[in-house]
Amino acid sequence: MLATFIFLVIMLLVTLGVAAYETYAERKVAAFMQDRIGPDRAGPFGLLQPIADGVKMFMKEDFIPSTANRKLYFLGPAIAMTTALLTGVVIPWGGTLTFGDATFSLQAADPGIGILYVFAMVSIGVYGIMLGGWASNNKYALYGAIRASSQMISYELAMGMSLVALIMTTGTLSMSGIVDGQLDGLWNVAVQPLGVLLFITCAFAECNRAPFDLPECETELVGGYHTEFSSMKLGFYLFAEYVNMFISSAVISTLYFGGYDIPFLDQKGMDSNLITILGTAALFVKITFFIFLFMWIRWTLPRFRYDQLMNLGWKKLIPLAILNILITGGYMVFNGNVKL
Amino acid sequence: MQYLFYLFAAISVLSGLFVVTARNPVNSVIALIVCFLSIAGHYILLNAQFLAMVQVIVYTGAIMVLFLFVIMLLNLNNSTEPQKTLLTRIAAVVAGGVFLLTLLAATRQGVEIAAANPADASVGLVSHVGMALFKDFLLPFEVSSVLFLSAMVGALMLGKKEKVAA
Amino acid sequence: MSTTFQPLTKRSQVVSDKKMTLLERIYLPAILKGMSITLKHFLTPRKATVKYPEQERPRSAVYRGHHVLKRDEQGRERCTACGLCAVACPAEAITMVAAERRKGEENLYREEKYAAVYEINMLRCIYCGDCEDACPKEAIFLTDRIVEADYLRKPFVFGKNELVEPMEKSKRIDVSKRQTPEVLKFKEQRQYSHNR
């Protein structure tokens, strides 16, 4: 019990730390892709920039519009941040550590329906944006909130559909079960190439990241749903986005890219604790790559128009996901994996 | 375990009451969301994890979002609320009373609602729910999916733009 | 044919709304192409940033910045407060108050009249250099110094403290950079002989 609690605290701190340095990485990646240098004043290579940003956020005036619905205005950022942080609980960050005769799993909770839990948290997360946007009593914020909600619902469908095919092949909804299936065999990316593509696209949309950042859409909606937010409430919204990005990278790595599996490594004769630590490091390497992918895409692609977004979601991704289910099912029947 | 049940029960009843009494429709929707979440908690206590998550994803995550969506767009407040005549009030009381009577009769005469059986821990898991849906209740399941299909077709027909006569 | 514009680069493409092929409609090739371009930029070490306070972008030799009011060889202010610069100024940034030179001030001011107050509003100034052209006494010049930023408007009204160059020979401000051969030749003309 105590061990789990300590692990949760460490996980929280790591998540927040990663999210903080994602903001730094985002600015650096953006700068490098635009042939600039990026933040380099705070500390060596600007490494203290997130701290400076945090201090700035706290020192800013916390302004609340007089016509805002105060309770919901406070609730919005809180929900956004809470749901973002809650998702990490079911992700297997590594195998098991052994201290003497006590074994300790690097996964806070392993419910049999791990993926569904992630989905549930994502679907609650949209309330943070909706309530915040509506409570601001500002037309741009309301537009942002409405866009966010319709976008999240649309892409959740396609995301769920793309996952169905994966679950058909793995035969389990548990996150650790899915990783176990990949430890000895192929990674799921080889089994579900189309599914990976669909899932990553939907993950981008669920995180409200470019090119799907219509809820913010600074060129049309000032700041979208967080137009009226300032100080650390705004900070919470921005931070929640980066936490979401970290968690979705972790989910993508876990579901499709082997989780904490290290490819081409002969694990015979190695200390099991060492293997676990190396595995966690491998997971973090994968996560780093996907975070980079998020940023890479953001600074490459322009934003979709709203009708393009809906067309892509409903007319392309969902039919493709259904096709993927059919192909997977057909293959499984043909191979005799299931009996009719 | 028991305290958790009482906690969830209290939350669901109180939030349910708040749904009806809240003046602001948005507050009432939020209370309904809380109510659904606490019901999901009940499901987890009954070891029906799959149902709990589906409850959160479908009801709180999708249906209530649409509710909130519509309410936000309608911008309901006291001035736009239609005046209720005496007749509608009486009709509402009668309808509510009849429903209450039905519920009472059902709980008094109906079959004893089986208590959760903690010994059979796997009853709420995905595979069992799937087996039940696709073996024992296949026909109702498929019929309800046809119902959804017809609803979708109807929505499409409503949403379709009429062709302008040339 | 002759009416079409010359393309500036070879990369320009004719826009058309023809139906896209299947490969174009999948978007993925185009996305990957874009990503390869950004990755190339990400990996190139050559960056366009100039780290300003430590590093300055090279400026043209004839850059027009912060004005200077020159002194002559003996350290006397050349300005005679004639007001031609103020008249010439298109932004009306220059104001001055003239005063008469008293006895004993001959080592301070070159002419019998001098500017007791000479102010340039650096926020109005457009650094055109017309004041320099108008000056009959070769007193005002624009230099390659940058006017520094400030938080208030007030400090941008430069008075004689900021404008007149120091008395010491070593600290005099060099304005010869802008005196290119063309400029010097132009000044040879007869009607500008009073400048010397």
Side-chain angles (χ1 to χ4, degrees):
Chain A
M1 199 66 185
L2 183 70
T4 314
F5 182 72
I6 294 171
F7 179 66
L8 279 177
V9 171
I10 293 174
M11 203 181 72
L12 192 70
L13 292 178
V14 168
T15 310
L16 291 176
V18 169
Y21 273 90
E22 269 174 291
T23 60
Y24 168 77
E26 172 103 274
R27 295 172 66 180
K28 276 287 185 192
V29 168
F32 272 61
M33 285 185 177
Q34 295 163 357
D35 289 347
R36 297 183 286 114
I37 294 176
D40 69 336
R41 296 285 149 153
F45 305 107
L47 276 171
L48 300 178
Q49 189 67 38
I51 298 166
D53 285 344
V55 170
K56 187 200 82 170
M57 280 288 187
F58 273 111
M59 305 300 267
K60 287 255 174 180
E61 183 192 357
D62 195 0
F63 183 81
I64 300 171
S66 57
T67 50
N69 183 331
R70 285 182 73 96
K71 276 178 227 146
L72 298 184
Y73 187 81
F74 277 87
L75 198 59
I79 292 182
M81 196 67 183
T82 314
T83 52
L85 287 175
L86 274 176
T87 318
V89 171
V90 293
I91 291 169
W93 299 102
T96 50
L97 289 173
T98 318
F99 301 110
D101 34 298
T103 56
F104 178 61
S105 166
L106 288 183
Q107 185 183 16
D110 185 21
I113 36 83
I115 296 180
L116 293 181
Y117 173 82
V118 173
F119 259 77
M121 283 305 128
V122 168
S123 62
I124 295 176
V126 70
Y127 286 112
I129 293 173
M130 276 187 89
L131 292 179
W134 183 79
S136 310
N137 208 352
N138 171 317
K139 58 183 165 190
Y140 297 117
L142 182 64
Y143 268 125
I146 284 170
R147 281 184 181 190
S149 52
S150 50
Q151 174 180 328
M152 297 277 253
I153 292 180
S154 309
Y155 278 79
E156 227 166 71
L157 271 178
M159 197 182 206
M161 293 279 203
S162 67
L163 265 186
V164 167
L166 175 77
I167 294 164
M168 280 160 68
T169 56
T170 59
T172 173
L173 287 166
S174 138
M175 299 289 263
S176 63
I178 290 172
V179 174
D180 285 342
Q182 296 175 84
L183 283 181
D184 302 320
L186 281 172
W187 285 359
N188 285 335
V189 62
V191 185
Q192 290 283 332
L194 183 59
V196 176
L197 209 60
L198 294 171
F199 188 82
I200 292 180
T201 313
C202 296
F204 274 63
E206 291 289 312
C207 289
N208 292 327
R209 287 284 301 188
F212 302 105
D213 58 342
L214 283 101
E216 269 180 63
C217 199
E218 60 274 11
T219 43
E220 294 168 26
L221 301 182
V222 191
Y225 58 91
H226 56 58
T227 302
E228 293 286 355
F229 284 86
S230 53
S231 186
M232 208 51 208
K233 288 202 199 64
L234 173 69
F236 257 43
Y237 269 131
L238 301 183
F239 221 64
E241 182 185 321
Y242 284 99
V243 172
N244 274 331
M245 212 162 103
F246 172 56
I247 298 293
S248 15
S249 300
V251 171
I252 294 170
S253 324
T254 306
L255 293 185
Y256 289 100
F257 292 86
Y260 49 83
D261 177 36
I262 313 167
F264 315 118
L265 181 73
D266 187 20
Q267 299 186 341
K268 269 176 210 134
M270 281 170 81
D271 184 43
S272 74
N273 280 357
L274 183 69
I275 292 173
T276 304
I277 291 168
L278 282 179
T280 308
L283 178 63
F284 270 84
V285 168
K286 291 169 195 171
I287 291 173
T288 312
F289 172 74
F290 284 107
I291 290 173
F292 177 71
L293 185 73
F294 267 91
M295 294 171 181
W296 189 3
I297 297 266
R298 171 168 178 183
W299 298 104
T300 302
L301 297 182
R303 185 182 297 126
F304 279 105
R305 215 179 346 144
Y306 195 69
D307 60 317
Q308 291 172 331
L309 174 92
M310 284 296 149
N311 274 342
L312 180 70
W314 288 99
K315 293 186 185 166
K316 296 215 171 91
L317 294 187
I318 291 181
L320 276 177
I322 294 174
L323 183 71
N324 194 28
I325 293 175
L326 287 179
I327 293 171
T328 311
Y331 180 80
M332 285 171 78
V333 171
F334 182 74
N335 251 17
N337 295 14
V338 279
K339 269 179 268 171
L340 280 183
Chain B
M1 237 14 194
Q2 218 171 8
Y3 296 113
L4 271 179
F5 170 77
Y6 286 125
L7 180 72
F8 283 132
I11 292 175
S12 29
V13 171
L14 286 180
S15 56
L17 280 176
F18 192 72
V19 173
V20 190
T21 54
R23 280 267 155 230
N24 187 337
V26 173
N27 286 353
S28 138
V29 167
I30 291 165
L32 196 52
I33 294 164
V34 173
C35 184
F36 282 150
L37 286 178
S38 62
I39 288 174
H42 282 301
Y43 283 134
I44 289 178
L45 286 185
L46 292 170
N47 215 355
Q49 297 170 344
F50 179 73
L51 272 186
M53 285 306 133
V54 167
Q55 162 93 5
V56 174
I57 294 169
V58 174
Y59 282 93
T60 48
I63 293 181
M64 293 319 290
V65 169
L66 289 179
F67 264 57
L68 202 56
F69 195 94
V70 171
I71 286 172
M72 281 176 177
L73 284 180
L74 287 180
N75 195 19
L76 294 172
N77 51 37
N78 290 338
S79 60
T80 55
E81 203 172 322
Q83 289 294 308
K84 296 179 186 74
T85 60
L86 193 64
L87 191 68
T88 51
R89 286 179 195 199
I90 291 171
V93 168
V94 169
V98 167
F99 183 57
L100 188 67
L101 268 181
T102 322
L103 277 184
L104 280 178
T107 45
R108 272 193 55 183
Q109 296 180 3
V111 281
E112 182 104 346
I113 295 169
N117 188 1
D120 190 9
S122 61
V123 74
L125 297 187
V126 191
S127 48
H128 290 77
V129 174
M131 280 300 167
L133 271 185
F134 288 98
K135 277 211 168 125
D136 308 340
F137 301 99
L138 184 61
L139 187 66
F141 182 80
E142 292 300 333
V143 168
S144 61
S145 66
V146 171
L147 185 70
F148 281 127
L149 187 68
S150 65
M152 266 162 69
V153 172
L156 268 183
M157 284 305 292
L158 284 175
K160 209 173 133 193
K161 275 182 203 146
E162 276 183 40
K163 273 182 196 153
V164 182
Chain C
M1 276 297 277
S2 59
T3 55
T4 53
F5 287 105
Q6 202 83 46
L8 286 173
T9 60
K10 283 175 190 162
R11 284 178 292 183
S12 63
Q13 279 179 6
V14 180
V15 177
S16 73
D17 52 358
K18 68 171 168 55
K19 231 175 151 44
M20 286 192 287
T21 62
L22 181 70
L23 202 66
E24 282 172 326
R25 268 187 293 149
I26 294 174
Y27 292 134
L28 280 178
I31 288 174
L32 290 177
K33 193 176 154 200
M35 283 170 75
S36 74
I37 290 172
T38 41
L39 188 69
K40 221 184 292 160
H41 281 268
F42 183 80
L43 295 175
T44 46
R46 204 184 70 243
K47 302 295 172 198
T49 309
V50 176
K51 297 186 173 186
Y52 167 59
E54 297 97 37
Q55 210 181 5
E56 280 188 28
R57 197 180 287 278
R59 269 173 271 139
S60 154
V62 292
Y63 181 86
R64 298 190 297 259
H66 194 320
H67 309 66
V68 62
L69 284 172
K70 291 293 287 180
R71 293 174 187 276
D72 70 357
E73 295 302 304
Q74 287 122 53
R76 301 174 299 185
E77 284 179 25
R78 298 180 73 105
C79 178
T80 181
C82 63
L84 282 176
C85 49
V87 171
C89 183
E92 301 188 353
I94 305 177
T95 52
M96 66 185 76
V97 174
E100 211 160 314
R101 185 177 69 183
R102 300 226 193 89
K103 263 222 158 43
E105 291 181 330
E106 285 86 356
N107 59 333
L108 289 177
Y109 311 110
R110 202 163 89 127
E111 315 284 337
E112 286 112 47
K113 196 163 130 260
Y114 70 97
V117 177
Y118 192 103
E119 285 182 347
I120 304 179
N121 186 337
M122 292 311 213
L123 292 177
R124 303 195 76 175
C125 178
I126 56 170
Y127 305 97
C128 59
D130 277 7
C131 46
E132 188 182 318
D133 277 359
C135 187
K137 296 292 176 190
E138 297 221 323
I140 189 164
F141 286 96
L142 280 76
T143 63
D144 59 352
R145 292 173 300 166
I146 284 176
V147 178
E148 277 177 21
D150 210 316
Y151 292 100
L152 299 170
R153 281 163 178 273
K154 192 97 198 213
F156 283 105
V157 179
F158 280 16
K160 281 179 80 171
N161 282 342
E162 288 86 2
L163 293 171
V164 180
E165 65 177 344
M167 190 77 91
E168 294 92 334
K169 278 257 159 76
S170 56
K171 290 186 187 166
R172 294 285 176 85
I173 286 143
D174 179 28
V175 293
S176 59
K177 245 186 272 177
R178 293 203 50 211
Q179 311 299 311
T180 56
E182 291 81 13
V183 174
L184 289 174
K185 199 177 166 203
F186 179 76
K187 286 187 175 173
E188 290 294 306
Q189 293 174 58
R190 255 197 72 123
Q191 68 256 44
Y192 299 115
S193 60
H194 58 264
N195 275 350
R196 265 165 280 119

